[in-house]
Structure formats: C-alpha cells, structure tokens
Amino acid sequence: MTTGTGTTGAPAPGATVPGAGWAPPTETERLLHEAATAGDRGALPAALSRSRLFVRVARLHADTPGFTPPLPTQPDPSTQGRMCVAVLTSGMLPPWHPDWVFEATALDDLARRWPNGVKWLVVNPGTPCAVTLEAGPGRRRAWLKAHARSGGPQAGRLLTHRAGPLHGPVAHGLALGAHLAVHNGLVWNDLGAAYEGYGTDRARLRNPWRVLDRAGYHGTLDALLSTQLVGRTYESVLGIRRTLAGRLGRTPTAPEWSAALTDALARRRSGPSESAEAHEALRLAVTYEDRFRADGALGPGERVDTLAAFDYGRAVNVVRLALGARLCDPHEAEQAVLRIGALARQAYGSWAQFSLGYSLTRVMHFDEDDPSGVKYEQSLAQHRVLTQDPDSPYRNIAWS
C-alpha cells in the first residue's frame, strides 16, 4: 500500500501531496489525506471503509437491464505501466454529465468484485488527494475486515461540501433538505454528479415516489411544493389551532383546541371516521409537542403552526435524486431548489420553526410504526444537530 508519507518524511511512491493552498472538500477527503500523510498501513483501509466510493459508468450501460459493468481500470497516473481499479470519493466527483453516471460502491464490494490481474487500487486519481493501495488477495481480505469493523459509511452525521454552496439562496434551499441528508449520512449542499449513486437514486425515486420518468418527477415535485402529501387532515387540525390562537392572542390549551376542532367538524357535518382521524391528529400533535418541550426543543407556549416543512424538505431530496438519476439537469435542479426555498420562507419565520415543523410531521406520520420511540429520538437528534452544531447551515445561513 502506498500512503502520503513514509517514516522518512518523504512522499511514498504513488501518492499525491496536495499543495499548500489545498483543503479537503469533505470529511471523507480529510480523513483519507490524514491517513495517507501519516504513513499508517492500516489507516487507509479503515478510512476507506467508512467512505462512500463511486465508479464511473456510461449511462447507456447503467440503463441496460441485467448488465453489471466491470470495475473500471486505468493506468496509474503516478506510475508508468501500472494498471489500477479507479474509484472516486464524493467530494472529488467531476461535474454532472448527461451520459456519464456514478454508481456507488464500498470497500467490501470492491474486494468481492475485484478483477483478475489487477494489483492496485487508486482513489481519486489525478486529484490533490489521490492515493494508491496495494490490492493483492491478502490486502483485499484486510479490506473486508476493515469494512466489518467500521460497518460502512455512518448515518446520522452532518456532512458539508466545502466547495458547494455555503451561503445565499441556493444554499438556503438545499439546507431545507438537511434532515434527510443527516439521516442518511450524505452531504447536504451538493447539486452534482450523484446523490447516493445512479442506481440507488433511480430506485429511491421508484419507491416510495413511483417516479419513473421526467413527467413523474415533475408531478411529484409539484405535489410536494403544494404540500399535498403532508396530510390534509393533519394540516387542517393545526390550522384550526392557528386560527384560534389568533383570536385568543396566545397558544390555546389542549382542551380549548379540542373543543374548537369538535365545533369545526360539526359545522362540516364530518362523519365518524373523519372525526376520529382529526382527533387522533390532535392527540399526536399534543403528545409530540409535549415531548419536544420536555426535551428543550420547543419552548413553553410555542407551537408548530404548519407541517409544510416535511413536504419542502422531501422536495429537496426528490430534486437531488432526480438530478442523480438524470431526470433533470443542474440548472433545472437549482431553479427547483430556489423555488422550494422561497415557499419555505413564506411558511416559517426561522430555521428552528422549520426544523420543528419537519420533525413533528415525521414523528406523527410514523407513530404507529415506531412503538420503540426510535424515530422520535432520531428526529430530536437531527433537530439538535442542525440547530446547535456550529457548522450547521442553520447556524450560518440567514433565514431571510
């Protein structure tokens, strides 16, 4: 294995030493650079095992049913005559191209699919953080062990692309999707060549969104932007409290809200099923708002007035998936993100309000599927990361 420096302090063969002004674009490249420059033989596989890796594939091949493209090989730019399997990390992907896509892989997958006759792996070839690793059978067994120890890329982390949008309207719009990015351990601020990987992006659009083509993508995006998917009953029940709060000049108590809901349902001549659903929505909102208050996320007398954040946050995710799946281009994706940002600013007055709206909706929707409380704990953790981490976009981008 070649790493950034050896014990003598000289660069190891096959390694690229970044210039003085170079900074790693993401946490992945930082970890790889540190492992390479440390000269630790075991550090690079450990770092790679926690990294999302990508291989370039012609879109024509990726779209062929049943075809699994071989791992790409190329000459090592640093050593003449040496062939390598080439992979990229997320921060070093080239610009979006309609005919070239990037499939996600992982260190254990590389070990299992390794082509005969190739003895080297090059990561990020031709870039400031290129590293080359020996890939003989013993090394590949070590990769499998490193992957088993690390468990692969970690979810629940805030990851930022330092070369991506960090301020301004595009960054603001992308930050609306940060809950899902943190949940999945993905960079929050990138509109580029891949989101999770071409095949995964297409699969996530199919299920649960049932998006198979551009028309389906536009239909789903329009439904999310008009908040049609958040739940009409849930939003209506919160709207009754919002109206009552306007009349009272304060947040209504739960009994006052329940009485107002009963009156509204009577005026509409709602049936038993609709009434039961509405009162259940009220119960869920009260239950989880109380939990957020007890955990310090929601202040006394504060409330969530709209659940639109859930659809807006998911809309950003759908845009990024569609870009990765080549159902839109970068300009279209950017315009959609700007549109989502404008709508969110109309609905909420701060990042904290938006984040609570997203979090409350998520736990209400998954209440029946979450008897253990895991999703509540996940949602609370994501809210805290995004509202408290000094590097969070919610701490560094003005809401309006």
Side-chain angles (χ1 to χ4, degrees):
M1 175 181 69
T2 60
T3 58
T5 58
T7 55
T8 64
T16 299
V17 179
W22 182 80
T26 76
E27 179 75 1
T28 293
E29 288 75 39
R30 183 185 69 79
L31 291 173
L32 291 177
H33 176 53
E34 290 177 355
T37 55
D40 184 344
R41 294 178 64 86
L44 269 175
L48 284 172
S49 71
R50 297 189 295 271
S51 304
R52 294 182 184 275
L53 305 175
F54 297 86
V55 295
R56 191 177 82 151
V57 181
R59 184 179 171 189
L60 177 66
H61 293 161
D63 286 342
T64 302
F67 177 74
T68 302
L71 292 174
T73 57
Q74 67 176 53
D76 185 345
S78 65
T79 304
Q80 186 174 4
R82 188 161 75 186
M83 296 298 295
C84 301
V85 168
V87 299
L88 296 167
T89 56
S90 61
M92 303 308 296
L93 293 177
W96 186 95
H97 191 283
D99 298 324
W100 289 96
V101 298
F102 292 87
E103 292 286 12
T105 186
L107 193 62
D108 63 329
D109 184 52
L110 292 177
R112 295 187 185 99
R113 294 174 56 198
W114 197 260
N116 292 327
V118 180
K119 299 180 180 179
W120 299 90
L121 169 68
V122 60
V123 184
N124 298 323
T127 74
C129 57
V131 291
T132 307
L133 292 79
E134 294 179 45
R139 300 296 186 195
R140 299 200 302 273
R141 286 193 293 271
W143 297 356
L144 291 170
K145 292 178 181 178
H147 181 87
R149 286 193 297 268
S150 72
Q154 301 300 301
R157 302 189 326 170
L158 175 66
L159 300 176
T160 300
H161 196 311
R162 297 301 170 189
L166 296 173
H167 302 283
V170 174
H172 183 284
L174 287 171
L176 300 172
H179 288 83
L180 276 166
V182 169
H183 180 73
N184 292 310
L186 299 167
V187 167
W188 68 266
N189 65 328
D190 185 39
L191 283 176
Y195 186 29
E196 294 188 64
Y198 182 69
T200 304
D201 293 345
R202 286 166 58 88
R204 288 193 181 276
L205 286 172
R206 286 194 303 269
N207 183 20
W209 297 110
R210 301 180 184 176
V211 169
L212 302 176
D213 51 28
R214 284 177 58 88
Y217 159 60
H218 286 296
T220 297
L221 182 60
D222 288 343
L224 287 166
L225 294 186
S226 57
T227 62
Q228 295 179 21
L229 305 183
V230 74
R232 182 181 63 85
T233 299
Y234 286 9
E235 189 72 354
S236 174
V237 169
L238 263 68
I240 289 170
R241 180 175 62 174
R242 183 173 63 248
T243 300
L244 180 59
R247 292 204 305 266
L248 297 175
R250 58 172 173 79
T251 297
T253 64
E256 289 171 335
W257 184 14
S258 181
L261 175 59
T262 299
D263 290 344
L265 292 169
R267 288 194 301 271
R268 296 175 195 164
R269 297 183 179 179
S270 302
S273 177
E274 183 181 352
S275 296
E277 182 183 5
H279 280 286
E280 173 64 6
L282 186 151
R283 184 193 69 81
L284 289 171
V286 169
T287 297
Y288 284 113
E289 282 186 339
D290 284 346
R291 290 190 68 178
F292 282 128
R293 286 192 191 92
D295 287 319
L298 190 64
E302 292 182 349
R303 63 183 184 273
V304 175
D305 277 342
T306 174
L307 304 177
F310 197 58
D311 276 1
Y312 295 151
R314 293 187 297 169
V316 173
N317 188 61
V318 166
V319 170
R320 296 184 67 185
L321 288 171
L323 182 63
R326 302 310 189 262
L327 297 183
C328 66
D329 62 35
H331 176 72
E332 291 176 283
E334 182 175 299
Q335 293 304 303
V337 166
L338 291 172
R339 186 179 169 197
I340 299 165
L343 290 170
R345 285 192 295 273
Q346 293 174 12
Y348 295 93
S350 69
W351 285 113
Q353 289 179 13
F354 173 85
S355 183
L356 284 167
Y358 184 96
S359 302
L360 178 63
T361 316
R362 183 174 186 262
V363 293
M364 288 175 67
H365 273 280
F366 288 111
D367 177 75
E368 291 184 359
D369 303 324
D370 187 30
S372 65
V374 169
K375 288 187 171 62
Y376 173 79
E377 296 299 332
Q378 288 176 341
S379 298
L380 179 63
Q382 291 161 20
H383 173 75
R384 284 175 169 165
V385 166
L386 289 168
T387 56
Q388 298 176 15
D389 191 310
D391 293 327
S392 168
Y394 292 12
R395 299 287 300 273
N396 293 286
I397 300 173
W399 176 256
S400 60

